[in-house]
Amino acid sequence: MSMHERTRRGRAWVTLFAICAAGCASGIAPATVPMDGSFRVDATIADQPVRMMLDTGCTRSSLKREVADRLGLKLRPEPRATATDATGVERPIDGMVMLPSLRIGETTWADFEACCHSLHSLTGEGLIGMEVLGSAVWWFDAPAKVVHMLRPQDVRDALTARGHRVIAKLPLGENRSRPFVHVRLENHVDVDLLLDTGADRTSLPADVAAKLALPSGLQLARQRAAEENARMAAELERQLGHGAKVRVHSEIADDSSIAIGVHGVAEQRTLLHLGLLELGGVRFRDLVVTDAKFEGVLGRDVLGEMPWLFHGPRRELWLLATK
């Protein structure tokens, strides 16, 4: 899930984006923070606990309205402001709230505004966007279920200490709020995709999907679903013990998928079988992707399968491997 906010004044659109590297973070304190498979972490706002998603596809941090009310944050109405998610759905926001402090790990960002509006339940209680993520170095290791927060000067030593090396450094474009990365698809088709930890599945622009003439992804999706069902059943049986037998069943009826953006609006998309996606020399084969009416995104089906580093100050994606 990704989003950006715009304010309309007549025919003009002004992008709402605040860089908080200069004033929100009083120095990044190294820390290792537990993170789930949806890139959600525990944080605090004004010393009160919240569960938020680290969303590289989100230009500005956001809170659910009910969370802002629970935290006692005063809402400043923005009647002309809207939020547009990755599915292209645009909705008005409730307004802006001033966050007196946002703490993740050992680092605190202070006195900056976040959008306040309805969010889908899968986001947690809010989204941590690029005005925060862009001010630090984040080593995402979804397979290990952690994110390491680093100071730029400590990156090399931290990688060495944990037995990792850099295998590629990829630029993320000039737009600090919208990180796009270049990938190569099958048949040597190149495309730039939004780096989006908020998206569970990679999607391709409709014209790119049409050019590739990709086959249906239904059979592969069913196979992956059966594998996931078996994995979940085995895990439940292990937890229950005493010879327990568990059957998990989920069914994919046709070759369509429901894409849900931060607004929670469902959009029907076609499941497609992508044979190859190459990112910085690392190859991912047999992906179930969807087509997109707007921009394509690189989602957690790729970003959740490997350790990688988002270097906010340098605007780079570093791919990592163990030594």
Side-chain angles (χ1 to χ4, degrees):
M1 288 162 281
S2 64
M3 63 175 292
H4 64 278
E5 292 79 36
R6 298 179 295 186
T7 298
R8 175 157 50 190
R9 295 183 175 90
R11 296 184 178 180
W13 292 92
V14 179
T15 300
L16 296 175
F17 178 66
I19 302 297
C20 81
C24 292
S26 55
I28 301 299
T32 296
V33 179
M35 179 184 75
D36 68 14
S38 295
F39 284 62
R40 292 174 297 200
V41 299
D42 289 329
T44 63
I45 294 176
D47 298 323
Q48 299 184 63
V50 290
R51 184 76 170 168
M52 301 186 74
M53 175 184 286
L54 303 173
D55 188 354
T56 58
C58 182
T59 60
R60 171 168 285 214
S61 298
S62 300
L63 275 183
K64 290 183 176 179
R65 175 65 184 271
E66 58 267 30
V67 176
D69 291 341
R70 173 172 63 83
L71 298 177
L73 302 177
K74 184 178 180 180
L75 183 73
R76 177 172 60 82
E78 282 285 351
R80 296 178 177 177
T82 64
T84 303
D85 65 24
T87 67
V89 174
E90 184 174 12
R91 291 286 187 273
I93 67 171
D94 293 330
M96 307 295 294
V97 291
M98 177 64 71
L99 303 188
S101 66
L102 167 66
R103 186 174 181 86
I104 310 170
E106 301 299 322
T107 301
T108 299
W109 287 260
D111 297 325
F112 71 101
E113 285 193 316
C115 295
C116 187
H117 56 95
S118 60
L119 293 170
H120 190 268
S121 59
L122 293 178
T123 65
E125 295 180 298
L127 304 172
I128 296 173
M130 284 297 296
E131 85 278 35
V132 171
L133 299 176
S135 68
V137 178
W138 307 79
W139 174 358
F140 293 105
D141 193 344
K145 298 184 178 180
V146 297
V147 57
H148 306 289
M149 300 172 61
L150 304 171
R151 298 183 302 176
Q153 62 268 34
D154 296 335
V155 172
R156 291 292 182 182
D157 289 343
L159 291 174
T160 300
R162 292 183 171 88
H164 283 72
R165 59 188 175 88
V166 179
I167 58 175
K169 295 181 181 181
L170 307 177
L172 294 174
E174 297 300 321
N175 189 336
R176 296 190 63 86
S177 66
R178 305 284 283 167
F180 280 84
V181 64
H182 186 79
V183 302
R184 171 160 288 185
L185 309 177
E186 55 193 65
N187 299 329
H188 302 285
V189 173
D190 295 331
V191 64
D192 290 335
L193 299 179
L194 179 68
L195 188 74
D196 193 354
T197 55
D200 62 347
R201 192 189 300 278
T202 294
S203 64
L204 303 178
D207 60 334
V208 173
K211 181 179 180 180
L212 289 170
L214 298 176
S216 169
L218 177 59
Q219 183 176 352
L220 181 59
R222 285 175 171 169
Q223 176 186 329
R224 297 286 167 77
E227 293 170 353
E228 179 63 14
N229 291 343
R231 186 196 66 79
M232 292 177 61
E235 176 61 21
L236 289 172
E237 289 174 358
R238 183 190 66 80
Q239 293 177 11
L240 294 171
H242 305 294
K245 295 296 181 181
V246 176
R247 182 173 181 267
V248 177
H249 177 72
S250 61
E251 183 177 354
I252 299 177
D254 54 37
D255 61 352
S256 64
S257 174
I258 299 296
I260 301 178
V262 296
H263 298 304
V265 178
E267 181 191 48
Q268 199 81 9
R269 293 184 176 181
T270 303
L271 291 175
L272 302 169
H273 182 170
L274 179 64
L276 175 66
L277 183 150
E278 185 173 333
L279 174 68
V282 179
R283 294 184 172 184
F284 298 86
R285 297 187 182 277
D286 296 321
L287 297 174
V288 179
V289 303
T290 64
D291 56 352
K293 294 178 181 179
F294 301 95
E295 62 199 9
V297 303
L298 189 68
R300 294 193 302 269
D301 53 344
V302 171
L303 300 175
E305 296 299 313
M306 61 178 181
W308 56 281
L309 185 147
F310 175 70
H311 201 305
R314 292 181 58 164
R315 302 291 304 149
E316 290 178 343
L317 166 64
W318 294 11
L319 302 183
L320 310 177
T322 54
K323 291 184 177 179

